[in-house]
Amino acid sequence: MNEAKLTGLLGMARRAGRLTIGFDASVAAAENGKTGLILLAADASPKTAKECAFAAETYGVKVMTLPFDKAALSDAIGMQKPVAVIAIGDSGFAKAIRPHCTETAL
């Protein structure tokens, strides 16, 4: 896996305005049909993962786990505080990011 490529893709998605940051915003994006992919940090809590999976099932989106912890994910997208959940709002970015992630097991 090429983590540098994944980091670059996440950064580009953020700069392009195709990245939603945070649990509530990501679930709202799924509810409004503005995302097809929710991504979790590797160290997201089991409760967060379960709630994301429920939202994904409800709104018909996919949930995957990134190979980064919250701190590394935050660095990748240029945030100061830890981030556990993001959503990708562009099908091209989502298609490029999926091979670098793993299916979220609950």
Side-chain angles (χ1 to χ4, degrees):
M1 173 187 47
N2 188 345
E3 289 187 18
K5 183 174 181 176
L6 179 56
T7 299
L9 286 167
L10 293 173
M12 283 192 300
R14 172 131 195 244
R15 290 188 298 279
R18 305 293 186 198
L19 188 72
T20 303
I21 301 169
F23 173 80
D24 291 332
S26 295
V27 170
E31 181 179 7
N32 296 326
K34 296 186 179 192
T35 188
L37 180 63
I38 295 175
L39 299 171
L40 299 172
D43 61 345
S45 75
K47 180 181 178 198
T48 298
K50 182 178 177 182
E51 290 176 358
C52 283
F54 177 77
E57 185 177 320
T58 301
Y59 303 118
V61 299
K62 187 153 186 84
V63 177
M64 298 188 84
T65 302
L66 291 160
F68 303 139
D69 63 10
K70 290 183 271 192
L73 174 57
S74 299
D75 287 343
I77 61 173
M79 296 293 294
Q80 296 291 325
K81 61 181 183 174
V83 175
V85 181
I86 61 173
I88 305 298
D90 179 87
S91 61
F93 280 120
K95 184 178 178 181
I97 290 169
R98 280 184 183 180
H100 300 281
C101 302
T102 58
E103 295 287 330
T104 300
L106 299 175

